[in-house]
Amino acid sequence: MTLAERLAPVRRRGHSRAVIGLAFAAPAVLLLLAIYILPLVALTGFSLTDYRLGALSTEFTGTANFRRAFGDPVFLRALRNTVLYAAIVIPLGVGLALGIALLVHSRTRSRGIWEIAYFLPVTATLVAMATVWQFVLHPSLGPVNAAIRWFGFEPVSFLADPALIIPTMAMIGVWQVLGFNMVLFLAGLTGVPKDLYEAARLDGARSPLDRFLTVTWPLLGPTTMFVAVTTSISAFKVFETVAVLTKGRSGSEVLLYAIYLEGFEYAETGYAAALTLLFLAIVLVLSIGQTLHLDRKVHY
Amino acid sequence: MEPQSLELTGVGKGFGAEDVLRSIDLAIRPGEFLSLVGMSGCGKSTLLRIIAGLETPDRGRFTIGGQDVTALDPADRNLAMVFQSYALYPHMTVRQNIATPLRMRQLSQVARLPVLGRLVPGRAAAMARIGVQVAEAAETLQIGHLLDRKPAELSGGQRQRVALARALVRDPAAFLMDEPLSNLDAKLRAHMRSELAALHRRLGATFVYVTHDQIEAMTMSDRIALMQAGQIEQLGTPTELYERPATLTVARFIGTPAINLLPAEVDSAGRVRVLGLETGLSAPRGATGAATLGVRPEDLRPGRGGIRARVLHTEHHGADRYVSVLPEGLADRPLTLRLAAGASLPADADGRLHLAFVAERAHLFGADGVRLDCHVDARVSA
Amino acid sequence: MPVFRRLLPLLLLGLGAIFALLPFYWMVLTSIRPPAEIFNISLWPVPQDFHAAENYAKAASAVPMARLMLNGAIVCLGILVVQVATAVPAAFALAKLRFPGQRLFLTLVIAALCVPMQALALPLYVGLASARLLNTYFALMAPFFLSVFAIFLFRQSFRSYPDEIIEAARLDGFSWMEICWGLVLRGSLPALAAFSVFSIVAHWNDLYWPLIVVTDIAYAPPPLGVLFFADAESGADYGALMAGAAMITAPMVLCFLFARRQFIAGITMTGVK
């Protein structure tokens, strides 16, 4: 075949790179519009009205929904509960995971087994495991209270005592997040060069604590920050445990559960939209902190 | 396929505000080995990528064998390219890598599909034909024993051969090579230079070869296009570039050790002086003032009179030695002499000596860097 | 003392592991015990009377267990296929092509990474409800068809694919589709594996969205089924309840045990849950 012969059919497919690029991105762009951008616009719109799903008339109410939220005892309680939940999950979920990661990292042969043990809760279906926890913590049937009785104390009703419900659920939250955070810390630890420990040894860092403070902790700084932020975001999204264990009984609502009730059980669409925007604002502040921090502080 | 001529006319290309190629006119003859040489950023790679069709020029035309292909897709130009990193498909065996350009040409889109393709009639026969061609190409490059390995299991030199085989197998209108030897170690590079030159002689195909290494260009090319700042400074045979560099840039770039450059002065009569000494050279009419005189290291030698200098150190290179000397009056610009190993160096105890050079072989460049053709009027040189 | 020093880390790890594994152990143990032994709080693994068959049979008949599993599989695979089909070309365009609006698109993708699905649930629900699409597989899957996370992950991974191979492929005559799916994605198989695991686990375990759009148990994925089951059975038959929980948890746990490396790579590659 000569060059002249192959010229003719070719001109047709002289697509420029830009056209190809647009064509490749198009499905994702359309979905981005349909799933993110339009819904966010609609959400903002709903939040300014008294729209109820299926209602015949809707009125513009301005910021009334937002003002209502800050006078709504249920929402305020949900906010308080969520903050309390996060205040327990974040330090324990990060601190314990770091401790476990340090211990697991120093195991050479048994490392895989520990990884599996701690990671199992991450993959398990939380809804199912919440029912298991309910049973494990049962005042008369569960092994935890059996142990408490064996030590001679009164049994504790973890999921009925209003003062204990949120801490108990936070404990389940810690149980679920530990393995996830441990894996992140382990990845961070493999990024710490071995020479640094040897250098620190020669420089006089004698005890393991010294070496942790001079080498590990500073180098794990970015990882720790990242883990803390992801943990806090997932803490603010707590939902399953409440939906299974209490259904908001005894004042145990959390943010997402309150939104779920208003929006989908009571069909208060406008009000739920306002609550959703408040929820989104909290998550965004945390995520933006995460993005900014990631940009700035990766120093290895 | 017959070797084709490649012709660029007024080709220009800019990225953003910057012009990478000004206006390139270059006619590459059928069957020629042409090297594009220059420092990094001179535009040589962009020019090659325009030839390949990977970049579209902003201005100008490009023809292959007289056909305008400026707007043609790279796949349809029938050019083969060997990349600096070899660009082998990592998931394919050597055999599949070499077969790929043939598969893409000889099988339809449907026949190329992973499983479904096997159902297309005639595919088996086409694949058998391809297999024969692959075996021939592998034979030529002596990689027959590597056909079932993956690129990751090959050494740099072997990958290089696979990339060449992949280019060779398709019988292209021309071969384009983008610094193909730069990832090899020095010894292998020297060996592959002679192999590439032999391959070119055997195939008689058109080769366009991009390199920043003037030795590669000098040893393999029929002609060299030396590029600088998006323009071709000089186009000529290796000898022409070495013997008659058109500009200071060319003189500096070609030759190792590098040419010695001496500040020169042209008086109103056209006489050329270096460091206040007569050189016996006359510049053409009208060229007066500051200039630069270039002398190759082999043309500089110890003499009885002339430039006074002091020996700094000597490098032994077997048959040759390079002597670095510091002339008086040129504080920080040592010169290099290239002497045969056995030649004597008449320096005194302090390492002092006089330097002379062959006037006929010196090159004079004006203040603008352009060559000034001198004639030698005196019998003696400085 | 040195012995104690050596054993202390093991002791701590062991205590933590008991905390992590206790619910699993108790779940499996209860699921094979007869109702009469429910009050037996001993941790001894062998029940006096094996009751596994009865418990698991009861769990499988109280809710349409097979149906739940099938729904879970359909939804997870459907979501994954569309996510990959849309994210891979978009990521390829972002990583290796130039097109107008590219920067804006990338910015939007990164911004969308910060928006949790729960924030979009309300308007998406209103839209699906007004289109009369509630209680369908489509409603379960639609909000997840676009994974901005996948786009971001694949873009990062694709960027490291050598440009020269893409150029060689163009000279060899590959179409852009073949370059994208046949070459570049093949170079990112670990990222694809990690993302697939991540996506399947996330959607198998998700409760929030199914709870909103599905009321008909015929379309319920496993977590919603557990919720129905737990509500119906509360307090009555723990053996069957635990058997149900074990069955629903098993696929992902097994998946993890078999693809541990991909799970861990998925998390470390991304760090996003």
Side-chain angles (χ1 to χ4, degrees):
Chain A
M1 198 193 288
T2 72
L3 198 67
E5 283 170 61
R6 39 178 46 256
L7 273 178
V10 163
R11 291 266 164 160
R12 274 179 286 124
R13 61 180 182 100
H15 296 309
S16 74
R17 241 176 201 217
V19 176
I20 304 272
L22 283 174
F24 272 50
V29 171
L30 292 178
L31 284 174
L32 191 72
L33 268 176
I35 295 175
Y36 282 88
I37 296 171
L38 289 180
L40 283 177
V41 172
L43 187 72
T44 315
F46 292 160
S47 72
L48 302 174
T49 67
D50 65 352
Y51 179 59
R52 296 176 60 104
L53 190 62
L56 294 174
S57 70
T58 301
E59 269 179 50
F60 180 78
T61 57
T63 58
N65 284 325
F66 294 93
R67 276 180 279 127
R68 176 179 160 192
F70 288 106
D72 179 354
V74 176
F75 172 71
L76 290 179
R77 195 164 60 216
L79 188 61
R80 254 199 323 274
N81 284 341
T82 311
V83 169
L84 173 62
Y85 177 90
I88 298 171
V89 170
I90 297 167
L92 286 181
V94 175
L96 289 178
L98 175 59
I100 292 168
L102 287 171
L103 292 177
V104 170
H105 189 65
S106 62
R107 303 282 107 195
T108 41
R109 261 174 305 162
S110 58
R111 184 174 160 158
I113 292 170
W114 298 114
E115 268 184 12
I116 292 176
Y118 285 102
F119 199 79
L120 222 46
V122 181
T123 55
T125 309
L126 185 55
V127 179
M129 295 318 292
T131 63
V132 177
W133 271 112
Q134 189 169 31
F135 185 37
V136 170
L137 297 173
H138 196 282
S140 51
L141 305 177
V144 172
N145 269 309
I148 291 175
R149 276 199 303 272
W150 189 79
F151 282 110
F153 297 100
E154 281 294 298
V156 184
S157 40
F158 291 100
L159 292 166
D161 184 344
L164 286 181
I165 292 178
I166 296 294
T168 303
M169 288 197 290
M171 193 274 308
I172 298 176
V174 171
W175 169 81
Q176 226 232 339
V177 86
L178 269 184
F180 185 84
N181 289 351
M182 171 198 72
V183 167
L184 287 177
F185 276 124
L186 281 174
L189 282 172
T190 45
V192 179
K194 273 221 168 62
D195 326 0
L196 281 182
Y197 289 106
E198 285 158 10
R201 256 200 152 103
L202 292 173
D203 290 345
R206 226 165 264 127
S207 72
L209 183 66
D210 277 339
R211 287 197 289 277
F212 175 78
L213 290 176
T214 48
V215 179
T216 319
W217 179 247
L219 285 179
L220 275 186
T223 312
T224 311
M225 192 63 205
F226 182 76
V227 172
V229 174
T230 41
T231 307
S232 58
I233 292 174
S234 63
F236 275 90
K237 293 198 282 195
V238 56
F239 176 78
E240 276 96 339
T241 34
V242 181
V244 174
L245 296 178
T246 70
K247 303 217 181 306
R249 265 184 287 108
S250 330
S252 63
E253 302 91 343
V254 287
L255 269 184
L256 269 187
Y257 201 76
I259 293 172
Y260 167 76
L261 288 180
E262 292 293 347
F264 305 103
E265 295 281 310
Y266 314 149
E268 286 266 14
T269 312
Y271 182 48
L275 298 187
T276 304
L277 282 178
L278 294 174
F279 163 74
L280 183 60
I282 294 174
V283 173
L284 281 185
V285 166
L286 294 171
S287 324
I288 289 167
Q290 169 179 3
T291 322
L292 287 184
H293 200 89
L294 278 183
D295 274 355
R296 202 152 36 89
K297 244 219 150 150
V298 181
H299 51 46
Y300 49 84
Chain B
M1 182 154 201
E2 285 295 296
Q4 298 288 339
S5 66
L6 312 176
E7 195 162 348
L8 296 136
T9 321
V11 166
K13 173 87 183 168
F15 290 113
E18 209 179 340
D19 257 355
V20 177
L21 293 178
R22 300 274 175 73
S23 175
I24 301 285
D25 293 302
L26 178 62
I28 301 164
R29 300 169 192 147
E32 170 174 46
F33 193 128
L34 182 119
S35 292
L36 297 170
V37 217
M39 313 282 265
S40 64
C42 70
K44 57 189 190 299
S45 284
T46 308
L47 189 60
L48 191 75
R49 292 163 57 81
I50 285 176
I51 293 175
L54 296 168
E55 304 275 0
T56 323
D58 298 340
R59 305 173 291 278
R61 264 159 44 88
F62 171 55
T63 62
I64 301 178
Q67 300 281 331
D68 188 342
V69 296
T70 317
L72 208 59
D73 208 70
D76 302 307
R77 298 186 178 203
N78 197 27
L79 298 172
M81 186 149 164
V82 177
F83 292 85
Q84 185 170 8
S85 65
Y86 319 133
L88 302 178
Y89 304 112
H91 62 285
M92 295 184 191
T93 62
V94 168
R95 187 191 305 280
Q96 290 165 329
N97 259 290
I98 301 174
T100 297
L102 299 177
R103 263 184 348 112
M104 302 312 283
R105 278 178 174 64
Q106 300 180 11
L107 299 182
S108 68
Q109 179 88 47
V110 181
R112 296 197 316 245
L113 287 177
V115 181
L116 219 58
R118 289 174 196 276
L119 304 174
V120 175
R123 185 178 185 273
M127 287 306 283
R129 263 200 320 277
I130 291 173
V132 173
Q133 287 170 278
V134 169
E136 279 172 18
E139 185 65 29
T140 309
L141 285 148
Q142 299 150 27
I143 47 171
H145 59 295
L146 303 174
L147 282 175
D148 294 310
R149 299 218 197 145
K150 291 261 176 86
E153 304 162 53
L154 303 179
S155 70
Q158 290 170 330
R159 284 181 213 182
Q160 169 73 72
R161 285 164 186 277
V162 176
L164 279 172
R166 186 174 68 178
L168 189 72
V169 74
R170 52 196 282 187
D171 190 19
F175 289 84
L176 312 180
M177 308 204 177
D178 189 3
E179 308 245 6
L181 305 185
S182 61
N183 283 341
L184 301 178
D185 63 54
K187 202 170 168 191
L188 199 53
R189 200 178 313 164
H191 175 71
M192 282 309 289
R193 279 207 304 263
S194 60
E195 274 210 30
L196 271 181
L199 188 67
H200 173 246
R201 276 196 303 278
R202 176 138 44 106
L203 298 173
T206 313
F207 276 45
V208 185
Y209 189 100
V210 164
T211 180
H212 66 272
D213 180 352
Q214 52 99 14
I215 297 182
E216 284 178 20
M218 294 293 282
T219 49
M220 293 187 288
S221 318
D222 295 321
R223 286 195 300 162
I224 296 174
L226 196 143
M227 293 183 67
Q228 159 86 0
Q231 281 173 315
I232 295 181
E233 288 270 315
Q234 187 172 4
L235 173 65
T237 63
T239 320
E240 279 166 3
L241 262 68
Y242 192 78
E243 303 280 339
R244 287 181 56 79
T247 66
L248 201 50
T249 310
V250 177
R252 274 205 193 104
F253 197 86
I254 301 288
T256 33
I259 195 165
N260 295 304
L261 296 175
L262 297 155
E265 194 72 36
V266 183
D267 66 18
S268 50
R271 279 184 304 240
V272 180
R273 286 165 179 277
V274 169
L275 297 170
L277 298 166
E278 282 287 350
T279 59
L281 289 167
S282 294
R285 196 175 297 275
T288 54
T292 306
L293 191 74
V295 183
R296 298 270 176 214
E298 62 270 28
D299 301 327
L300 196 62
R301 56 186 176 221
R304 253 165 252 139
I307 306 168
R308 282 147 57 82
R310 186 166 52 84
V311 175
L312 288 177
H313 59 86
T314 305
E315 262 179 47
H316 294 276
H317 286 256
D320 286 341
R321 61 192 155 133
Y322 302 163
V323 183
S324 185
V325 300
L326 196 62
E328 271 173 27
L330 278 179
D332 51 346
R333 284 162 63 185
L335 306 177
T336 308
L337 281 75
R338 179 177 188 163
L339 300 173
S344 66
L345 187 66
D348 66 14
D350 292 337
R352 293 186 193 284
L353 75 169
H354 292 272
L355 296 175
F357 57 86
V358 187
E360 292 89 338
R361 299 185 55 84
H363 313 281
L364 188 69
F365 302 96
D368 56 357
V370 176
R371 179 185 187 85
L372 296 168
D373 281 314
C374 298
H375 66 93
V376 184
D377 39 26
R379 327 123 291 270
V380 198
S381 53
Chain C
M1 203 54 191
V3 178
F4 175 71
R5 258 216 158 156
R6 210 146 33 88
L7 287 182
L8 184 65
L10 275 180
L11 192 72
L12 291 174
L13 278 176
L15 277 177
I18 289 174
F19 171 57
L21 296 178
L22 175 68
F24 293 98
Y25 182 72
W26 197 248
M27 171 175 79
V28 174
L29 184 60
T30 309
S31 77
I32 57 171
R33 277 175 167 174
E37 279 184 57
I38 289 298
F39 293 96
N40 179 355
I41 43 85
S42 99
L43 290 172
W44 183 245
V46 184
Q48 287 145 12
D49 182 12
F50 266 100
H51 216 260
E54 289 86 341
N55 283 335
Y56 281 88
K58 178 138 192 244
S61 59
V63 280
M65 191 59 76
R67 186 69 202 226
L68 295 180
M69 298 282 186
L70 180 69
N71 289 344
I74 290 174
V75 169
C76 287
L77 288 180
I79 290 172
L80 180 64
V81 166
V82 181
Q83 279 177 337
V84 171
T86 55
V88 166
F92 178 75
L94 282 173
K96 294 293 180 192
L97 297 170
R98 298 275 159 277
F99 59 92
Q102 189 169 25
R103 212 157 241 273
L104 175 68
F105 181 43
L106 180 63
T107 311
L108 287 176
V109 165
I110 291 172
L113 273 173
C114 302
V115 178
M117 186 276 151
Q118 290 87 345
L120 307 166
L122 194 67
L124 288 171
Y125 168 76
V126 171
L128 288 165
S130 45
R132 307 198 168 279
L133 284 170
L134 298 181
N135 281 314
T136 59
Y137 287 126
F138 179 80
L140 280 169
M141 297 189 280
F144 308 105
F145 279 164
L146 180 75
S147 171
V148 282
F149 170 55
I151 295 179
F152 191 72
L153 175 66
F154 286 131
R155 171 180 171 267
Q156 298 301 85
S157 178
F158 289 175
R159 265 150 57 108
S160 62
Y161 196 84
D163 285 332
E164 288 201 338
I165 298 186
I166 294 177
E167 289 170 351
R170 292 185 64 205
L171 282 161
D172 282 346
F174 283 80
S175 68
W176 282 109
M177 275 295 204
E178 287 170 308
I179 292 176
C180 172
W181 292 97
L183 297 179
V184 178
L185 181 61
R186 199 185 283 262
S188 293
L189 287 184
L192 179 63
F195 173 73
S196 304
V197 160
F198 163 86
S199 168
I200 289 174
V201 172
H203 296 114
W204 182 273
N205 290 342
D206 185 33
L207 173 71
Y208 193 76
W209 183 246
L211 188 60
I212 291 169
V213 290
V214 170
T215 47
D216 180 351
I217 198 163
Y219 292 99
L224 196 55
V226 178
L227 202 61
F228 287 157
F229 189 28
D231 288 353
E233 293 285 313
S234 71
D237 192 343
Y238 276 104
L241 187 59
M242 291 303 108
M247 281 194 272
I248 275 161
T249 313
M252 289 307 114
V253 168
L254 290 177
C255 184
F256 164 62
L257 292 178
F258 283 112
R260 189 167 112 231
R261 205 131 20 105
Q262 279 72 24
F263 267 76
I264 296 195
I267 289 176
T268 44
M269 238 182 250
T270 60
V272 187
K273 198 171 164 187

